[in-house]
Amino acid sequence: MLATTTTAARTAALRAVSSVAARAKHTLPDLPYDYSALEPVVSAEIMRLHHTKHHQTYVTNLNVFEEKLDAAMAKRDVGAQIALQGALKFNGGGHINHSIFWTNLCAPKEFDLPQGDLLTAINRDFGSLEKMVAKFNAQTVAVQGSGWGWIGYNKEQNKLAIATTPNQDPLAPTTGLVPILGVDVWEHAYYLDYKNARPDYLKAIWGIVNWKNVGERLAAASKQ
């Protein structure tokens, strides 16, 4: 019986090790525009630093901590697995959040107002685009320290909702809302351009929101 148990444990460990080898590394996604494309709302300097330094750090650390998690799982070290959850949430959330954020933005020359089902949902759930923006900015400017402002889709209620998350907490795993628009309010996202004037940054960023992408995300979330 002992030999059978030992063999089974070794087999499980080998499978876990194979999983480690097979796990694909996360990579930094390319931006869908040049670093200077969002000027004058967001400078090329901020975009380059934000993308190549901050986002890259989350990607690098996520890969490191996933390797540590795989090793802990291979050893069946539950304590180590639990200890890694905070780092996985922070760096995994940073990767998820920024990957959404980049696609939610567009060059000012490509900006267009929301249309179709997205505009209908905004008017239904907030009264108007202007009211939604005002509510979003009021909630997001109040984020203490670092975090994110979101427009998410509530699948159970079939409606849009505004939410904020601290640090790099990802929206869906922490609130159940499907993210369709995220705005980074960590100071590294705006300080070089706006200093400590977060309200000015939030006011300006609506001029580079890629509403087409937001609408596509809403359409996809509605089908889930």
Side-chain angles (χ1 to χ4, degrees), residues 38 41-51 54 58 98 101-102 105 146-148 168 182-195 197-198 201-202 205 208:
L38 306 184
V41 177
V42 181
S43 67
E45 184 180 9
I46 277 189
M47 288 301 298
R48 185 175 289 105
L49 288 170
H50 200 171
H51 181 244
H54 293 280
Y58 297 127
H98 284 87
F101 183 51
W102 307 136
L105 303 177
S146 302
W148 291 75
Q168 291 297 348
V183 175
D184 189 349
V185 289
W186 281 64
E187 285 194 341
H188 65 236
Y190 62 86
Y191 196 84
L192 290 177
D193 292 338
Y194 298 90
K195 303 303 186 239
R198 182 184 286 179
Y201 163 69
L202 286 171
I205 203 165
I208 56 171

